[in-house]
């Protein structure tokens, strides 16, 4: 994992080359920050935060590919993308545990491709809510996007620019969901 001992912080920067791991945690006992401006990262599973550390991923270029991703597994975390491509072949979960209120921010020329289901506000312990904010870029989901998946969970999507392609968006599956569009294009195939 990228994260120091309890109370510590670690920064990992990738501008070229390749990095691969079966399981990659950005933050463990301590806080972790991953800054990627180029190169490629491949992981079977990638998680931002593993209690008690908080994880931050800043993606401005290059590519990251994961079988599944969790933003905010045990504590709040942030994925900030202004460029590059984030490809998830399985599920993407934002706000997946206790105190896990988390943020995914997509802007610039960033591209997000998710094949499986997407959960924004997954856990019943995420009562404060998790949010996906898109100001530009392209976000494509081949399955469903759930906002507020579990009872007690709160999920928000704010679209102000760029393009969102989805098979379906379920607002408030068992919890509370909000979808706000003030700009951009939302194309739903279902």
């Amino acid at each position: 994992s990228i994260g120091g001992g309890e109370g510590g912080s670690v920064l990992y920067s990738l501008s070229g080359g390749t990095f691969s791991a079966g399981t990659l945690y950005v933050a463990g006992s301590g806080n972790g920050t991953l800054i990627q401006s180029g190169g490629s990262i491949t992981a079977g599973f990638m998680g931002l935060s593993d209690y008690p550390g908080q994880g931050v991923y800043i993606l401005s270029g290059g590519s990251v590919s994961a079988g599944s991703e969790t933003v905010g597994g045990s504590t709040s975390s942030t994925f900030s993308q202004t460029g590059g491509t984030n490809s998830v072949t399985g599920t993407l979960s934002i706000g997946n545990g206790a105190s896990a209120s988390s943020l995914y921010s997509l802007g610039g020329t960033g591209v997000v491709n998710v094949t499986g289901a997407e959960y924004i506000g997954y856990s019943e312990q995420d009562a404060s809510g998790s949010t996906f904010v898109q100001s530009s870029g392209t976000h494509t989901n081949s399955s469903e996007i759930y906002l507020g998946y579990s009872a007690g969970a709160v999920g928000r999507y704010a679209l102000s620019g760029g393009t969102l392609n989805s098979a379906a968006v379920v607002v408030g599956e068992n919890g509370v969901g909000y979808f706000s569009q003030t700009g951009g294009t939302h194309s739903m195939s279902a």
Side-chain angles (χ1 to χ4, degrees), residues 19-25 36 40-48 57 63-71 79 85-93 112-116:
F19 177 87
S20 62
T23 299
L24 173 61
Y25 281 105
Q36 183 181 1
S40 64
I41 292 177
T42 303
F45 169 80
M46 185 175 74
L48 271 64
Y57 196 131
S63 65
V64 55
S65 177
S68 60
E69 286 182 8
T70 295
V71 180
F79 196 125
T85 300
N86 180 18
S87 300
V88 185
T89 56
T91 59
L92 170 62
S93 298
V112 182
N113 296 314
V114 181
T115 303

Side-chain angles (χ1 to χ4, degrees), residues 131-166:
T131 305
F132 195 115
V133 176
Q134 182 178 358
S135 58
S136 59
T138 302
H139 179 189
T140 300
N141 181 283
S142 303
S143 184
E144 297 86 15
I145 298 176
Y146 294 95
L147 306 177
Y149 182 73
S150 301
V154 178
R156 304 178 183 90
Y157 200 110
L159 177 63
S160 61
T163 301
L164 170 62
N165 302 306
S166 64

